[in-house]
Amino acid sequence: MIKESRIGESMHQLAQRLYPICRSITGNGVRESLRILQEELPLEIYEVPSGKQVFDWTVPKEWNIREAWVKDAQGNKVIDFAEHSLHILNYSTPLHEKMQLEELKSHIYSLPDQPDLIPYRTSYYREQWGFCMRHQDLEKLEDGEYEVFIDSTLEEGSLTYGELFIPGEIEEEVIFSAHICHPSLANDNLAGIAVVLELAKGLLARENRYSYRFLFIPGTIGSITWLAENEDKIPKIKHGLVASLLGDPGNFTYKRSRRGDAEIDQIVEYVLEQSGKEHKVIDFFPYGYDERQFCSPAFNLAVGNFTRTQFGQYPEYHTSGDNLELVRPEYIEESLEMYQKVVEILEANKTYLNLSPKCEPQLGKRGLYDAIGGNSDSKALQMAMLWVLNLADGEYSLLDMAKRSGISFELIAKIADTLIEKDLLAEKK
Amino acid sequence: MIKESRIGESMHQLAQRLYPICRSITGNGVRESLRILQEELPLEIYEVPSGKQVFDWTVPKEWNIREAWVKDAQGNKVIDFAEHSLHILNYSTPLHEKMQLEELKSHIYSLPDQPDLIPYRTSYYREQWGFCMRHQDLEKLEDGEYEVFIDSTLEEGSLTYGELFIPGEIEEEVIFSAHICHPSLANDNLAGIAVVLELAKGLLARENRYSYRFLFIPGTIGSITWLAENEDKIPKIKHGLVASLLGDPGNFTYKRSRRGDAEIDQIVEYVLEQSGKEHKVIDFFPYGYDERQFCSPAFNLAVGNFTRTQFGQYPEYHTSGDNLELVRPEYIEESLEMYQKVVEILEANKTYLNLSPKCEPQLGKRGLYDAIGGNSDSKALQMAMLWVLNLADGEYSLLDMAKRSGISFELIAKIADTLIEKDLLAEKK
Amino acid sequence: MIKESRIGESMHQLAQRLYPICRSITGNGVRESLRILQEELPLEIYEVPSGKQVFDWTVPKEWNIREAWVKDAQGNKVIDFAEHSLHILNYSTPLHEKMQLEELKSHIYSLPDQPDLIPYRTSYYREQWGFCMRHQDLEKLEDGEYEVFIDSTLEEGSLTYGELFIPGEIEEEVIFSAHICHPSLANDNLAGIAVVLELAKGLLARENRYSYRFLFIPGTIGSITWLAENEDKIPKIKHGLVASLLGDPGNFTYKRSRRGDAEIDQIVEYVLEQSGKEHKVIDFFPYGYDERQFCSPAFNLAVGNFTRTQFGQYPEYHTSGDNLELVRPEYIEESLEMYQKVVEILEANKTYLNLSPKCEPQLGKRGLYDAIGGNSDSKALQMAMLWVLNLADGEYSLLDMAKRSGISFELIAKIADTLIEKDLLAEKK
């Protein structure tokens, strides 16, 4: 699948611009990221004030950070946030203090089994401070006094998210969400953002049947906030995907919605099967990304999580190894194509009624059928036509027809169009 | 399975009489064939005039043919309809003309891969003329002028079909149909006709629970015409089979109704399983014989297609190879037996109520049970009795009981009769 | 599984006391057995008079026996009921007569294939007399005159059964029944009695959600009598097990209720799967123990039959080989533990509602969640918590949750308790 690709390259370039920014669930990193997205997409940006009650949760204080380092006794910076945004425990409180190595170490996170990678750690809901570093560097620290400086603020402010709504022919909505709360992590943030952005650009440029809603939100608290602020919109959401982990070289993984056999589940599984690519389909479980919230029992939305390698299943997950070399243009692009294919089927997957349902209509007199019985150059087209006519009883969507007949969705949809032109088929409203 | 068989022989003799007649979807060939069937069965013969609108179709002009040949420059007949009814493109328009080989060839159908067989071709809905011949004979034709003569008529007339209705104890109907539109093709026409004829003769000679309807109709336009002319009867049709391809040596094939699990589907599958014969059960698809029309979405009747080898799956299909040597008496007879077995189960497959449903009734005091506990010569009968009593809650037909218990339908039905006699069981009405 | 066990020993000792008593479907043997059970459990003892109509049956005459023997010409007892209660055909009529060996033999039951075992035979509903003996002893009998003496009575009396009802928090009932009609057979009677007795003792000593009903009844006529006498109670019976064959060394066998997927079926199957022990689950069939009556079509109760080796599947079945050496303390005890486990899950298997069903509740602020995102010592507990919250929509019982999540019922139930304490969950009433 490795190929030269302009769209993949441009998605990767967007990831490159976003990569160094220290995002979190609130703060200027998110704002700066969303402004970059606005250059390509007319996103609305929302600010929800700290302290606002959102269901069982409260919008947290806003966190911002400018500088953070640890100096040894000689004044050398042994850890420096300026070098990598993962070096700081996300949501660390401000500090300027001297301390012995022993005490410092109790605030340091490292990965003994992956000594050359910086781990990613957060503490959103317990106020504390900390640093993350390569285990190999931690082991070089010598006893003695260290100066620790964290120039951060944790204050009343707001939670920021971006949203784009594209109205369609019908009010029923499809939702796509990407999380924007991770700092310098390429696959676990930026690849999903890039895919959703490109998908939205494509849908914005054309007329759609469904209305589409794109959310660029902090994980967990972001989706909770959005759902709490938009409860009136929830009943209109008929399908959705949470987009994450879409740039690594692994196979695709689809985690079904809690319902398990929703139309979106069937479509993604169909697209994966038809792709001929190795892939995995797994059942819903209440852990992972924001499908946790969309599929909570009061909503039980038809929202799945469509990724490449599943979270936690690649060694670079939640470390500095999840970078712009792990994520490659061709993989992001391939992911985009899969999402586009899903949308294509979703848009086309209507239910039709045969307008001449008593016996077969006479295809020949409409030029739809080879007039010489017993020989035909277009058996496949004829079979597709007969299948569509036979199953167009209002119970079968086009995808149902494709599955029952074993004929590709593309051909079924094309034949349906032909039959509509000939007044033999009409959409069931 | 090869055995001496009087009934198989007599069915084969009927096929021999019908074989030379040039049938089509209309015309005197059909009339003559039906008159032969009337010698054995009190068929009603219907004539539906050309031009009559039948759903989306129009009853076509009536076609008749008397003579057709091609002579070479020396006056030798190189093709002659008198030799084989397949030589003429069915529904060929009249013609008397001289032409060069080149032009003649554009009207000739042959099978390069099966050079010694005449193909079967029709052109019902596009007016044209043509001949069908062995490819090996086509290749011998030399350049030069040929005289082409077709003494046919294509005029206002009627479509002819035969029907027999046998009223039963209840109004609900079982339908069996055979197509009668094929000229000299033995398996793909005559075997089905012979089986349906014999089946009807048997049912006519006894009292039946269901009402039975037998149709001898031209394929496609015949079933469409019948359905259009008899729309009021359609709701009474509860079960049915389209009978075709019942004389070749291949294994049985059952193509389920569009519903897939109708009672007729379950019964045919059960009969096939119990037969111990190799067989195939396949799902409905909207191509084949008149099940296409019976299973069209507005009707969706419980009608399957029960054949030996499936159409198009034997090399002689739709050629002069489908003749009276391919079709053998023992195979037609075996097919008849399977159809009879299906009818037998259909007739007996009632639903019963246990009249003593609170605990088991005391079988012993009715002489139904060995009085010595712990020892019995008739465990199998006892078990069948207990199963029937246990499942006779009004939800299980006898076939459902046979399937759940693993006991043969025959024994279940016999035990049900015994329990009815003892006033322990009554039919659920 | 062989271990020293006080409870198993005491259950075996009960079996030892009951073993010599000649029980039948009526009579003093049953009364004496029930009196022994009353020493440990406050059983109500019921007497239903002979001649009483119970559904399709009549309570039979009461049978009692004091003495029975056959003497040879020399006055030696060649068969003696005093030696083994199986020697008499159960329900033999009284007799004192002399006869030749030939005539005697027509009243003797033996097992040529198991010559050292006495068979068990009954004749409840046909008045006759007979003896059962080892085939090897039968073969030693010499021609000559024999004196046959049976001091039995078959008279108006009553059918006796024992019952214990333990009211619970709710009126819905669980029923456990053991048959008490077999004479000296250890596995096929006494093991089941011992298990049900111990189970009842445990439930009597504590508060229960369900009401429990324990029946010690003669097989077939006993359950029919109980059901006929207690028709008003039947609708309250929601779950039940017929307990039999619980002391042999074989694997467990569960025969599902007629419904097949009732809660009791699911629970027993779950307990068996979780046990890691080899076992068999089989579908209902209308033969065996009193599940035949409980599952008759008018009642169709959710009652299964939970045994070790299935009836008729071990060589000692219904012979003198089914004795106190076949039945071992450790096996009876293991059976008890399985029954207790079933009750434990049944009691706990409620359906809950998530009280904070819109998105996930914030576990962290309740101390339910490790506050450091991305690292946790208690992933398994967290996952269980998230599953319970996600599935607590009123459609899932705890067992349903355990099955869907793959998490053990124990952990699911424990987590549910934790969430109830935190006001996040409430029972669905």
Side-chain angles (χ1 to χ4, degrees), chain B residues 126-379:
Chain B
R126 192 166 51 159
E127 296 200 1
Q128 54 179 320
W129 65 270
F131 284 88
C132 302
M133 69 189 297
R134 295 177 182 84
H135 195 69
Q136 66 198 20
D137 293 337
L138 175 62
E139 289 192 312
K140 286 177 203 151
L141 297 188
E142 288 173 13
D143 281 343
E145 196 179 61
Y146 287 85
E147 183 185 356
V148 180
F149 178 65
I150 303 176
D151 177 16
S152 69
T153 49
L154 186 57
E155 298 167 336
E156 297 303 310
S158 60
L159 176 151
T160 312
Y161 68 84
E163 181 172 359
L164 175 68
F165 179 70
I166 309 178
E169 184 193 324
I170 60 176
E171 277 202 330
E172 299 187 348
E173 290 188 17
V174 188
I175 198 165
F176 289 94
S177 84
H179 60 291
I180 51 158
C181 51
H182 286 192
S184 305
L185 292 167
N187 196 35
D188 192 3
N189 212 3
L190 304 179
I193 291 170
V195 166
V196 174
L197 182 89
E198 277 307 322
L199 188 68
K201 281 164 66 180
L203 288 166
L204 197 57
R206 61 177 225 193
E207 298 292 310
N208 303 304
R209 176 160 73 112
Y210 281 108
S211 297
Y212 287 86
R213 190 175 297 277
F214 299 88
L215 299 181
F216 298 88
I217 49 177
T220 305
I221 187 65
S223 53
I224 293 169
T225 298
W226 188 87
L227 286 161
E229 298 280 289
N230 295 279
E231 255 192 287
D232 58 317
K233 302 197 178 73
I234 297 174
K236 292 183 186 153
I237 300 172
K238 298 304 176 188
H239 319 279
L241 289 177
V242 170
S244 52
L245 308 177
L246 290 165
D248 68 280
N251 294 327
F252 286 102
T253 304
Y254 181 61
K255 174 184 170 184
R256 294 182 177 110
S257 77
R258 183 179 182 272
R259 299 182 186 180
D261 64 347
E263 191 177 341
I264 189 72
D265 299 321
Q266 294 183 43
I267 291 175
V268 178
E269 291 181 45
Y270 183 79
V271 166
L272 284 169
E273 279 161 25
Q274 295 289 310
S275 74
K277 302 180 207 289
E278 264 194 67
H279 64 273
K280 238 181 1 185
V281 176
I282 58 179
D283 280 323
F284 176 80
F285 57 93
Y287 199 69
Y289 291 95
D290 284 327
E291 69 277 8
R292 293 162 69 162
Q293 312 309 329
F294 294 120
C295 297
S296 59
F299 306 133
N300 195 23
L301 294 175
V303 173
N305 176 217
F306 190 11
T307 69
R308 298 188 71 102
T309 303
Q310 209 190 334
F311 74 91
Q313 304 291 308
Y314 57 99
E316 301 86 352
Y317 176 75
H318 275 196
T319 73
S320 53
D322 183 349
N323 58 30
L324 292 161
E325 274 149 56
L326 176 72
V327 166
R328 301 310 312 152
E330 58 270 23
Y331 303 129
I332 326 181
E333 179 165 346
E334 189 190 34
S335 300
L336 173 64
E337 286 165 1
M338 297 299 273
Y339 270 69
Q340 286 170 332
K341 187 85 196 145
V342 167
V343 166
E344 197 181 297
I345 294 187
L346 199 51
E347 284 282 309
N349 192 30
K350 300 180 187 176
T351 299
Y352 293 94
L353 288 169
N354 179 338
L355 299 178
S356 182
K358 296 177 177 183
C359 297
E360 292 168 9
Q362 194 178 358
L363 301 176
K365 73 180 181 190
R366 295 178 173 85
L368 287 167
Y369 205 72
D370 185 341
I372 298 281
N375 192 11
S376 165
D377 298 332
S378 50
K379 286 279 180 205

Side-chain angles (χ1 to χ4, degrees), chain C residues 87-105:
Chain C
H87 273 312
I88 191 74
L89 172 72
N90 207 293
Y91 255 68
S92 278
T93 46
L95 187 84
H96 195 175
E97 226 172 78
K98 293 197 178 181
M99 61 188 71
Q100 293 298 310
L101 178 61
E102 178 100 351
E103 188 187 347
L104 173 63
K105 273 190 169 175

Side-chain angles (χ1 to χ4, degrees), chain A residues 358-360 362 365-366, chain B residues 56-57 231 292-293 296:
Chain A
K358 296 178 176 181
C359 299
E360 291 168 10
Q362 194 179 358
K365 73 181 181 191
R366 293 176 175 86
Chain B
D56 191 55
W57 300 61
E231 255 192 287
R292 293 162 69 162
Q293 312 309 329
S296 59

Side-chain angles (χ1 to χ4, degrees), chain B residues 354 356-363 365-366 369-375 379 382-383 386-387 389-393 396 404, chain C residues 53 55-58 109 121-126 128 223-224 227 231 257-258 284-287 292-293 295-299:
Chain B
N354 179 338
S356 182
K358 296 177 177 183
C359 297
E360 292 168 9
Q362 194 178 358
L363 301 176
K365 73 180 181 190
R366 295 178 173 85
Y369 205 72
D370 185 341
I372 298 281
N375 192 11
K379 286 279 180 205
Q382 279 182 37
M383 275 309 300
L386 293 170
W387 268 117
L389 288 165
N390 188 268
L391 296 181
D393 60 1
Y396 287 80
R404 178 157 180 183
Chain C
Q53 187 71 19
F55 298 135
D56 191 55
W57 300 61
T58 308
Y109 302 91
R121 291 286 183 280
T122 68
S123 184
Y124 302 140
Y125 299 101
R126 190 166 52 160
Q128 56 179 320
S223 52
I224 292 168
L227 286 161
E231 254 192 286
S257 77
R258 183 178 183 275
F284 176 80
F285 56 94
Y287 198 69
R292 292 164 66 163
Q293 313 309 330
C295 297
S296 58
F299 307 133

Side-chain angles (χ1 to χ4, degrees), chain A residues 5-61:
Chain A
S5 138
R6 281 192 32 213
I7 186 83
E9 285 298 340
S10 97
M11 291 164 86
H12 197 263
Q13 277 155 22
L14 174 73
Q16 289 170 36
R17 278 183 74 189
L18 295 168
Y19 184 74
I21 301 169
C22 182
R23 280 164 297 275
S24 180
I25 54 171
T26 62
N28 292 325
V30 172
R31 284 188 196 98
E32 186 185 343
S33 301
L34 290 174
R35 270 193 302 269
I36 291 171
L37 301 187
Q38 275 184 320
E39 294 174 17
E40 305 207 38
L41 208 63
L43 281 185
E44 298 277 346
I45 293 180
Y46 293 84
E47 301 280 351
V48 183
S50 303
K52 173 115 195 209
Q53 188 71 19
V54 285
F55 297 136
D56 191 55
W57 300 62
T58 309
V59 174
K61 289 181 188 163

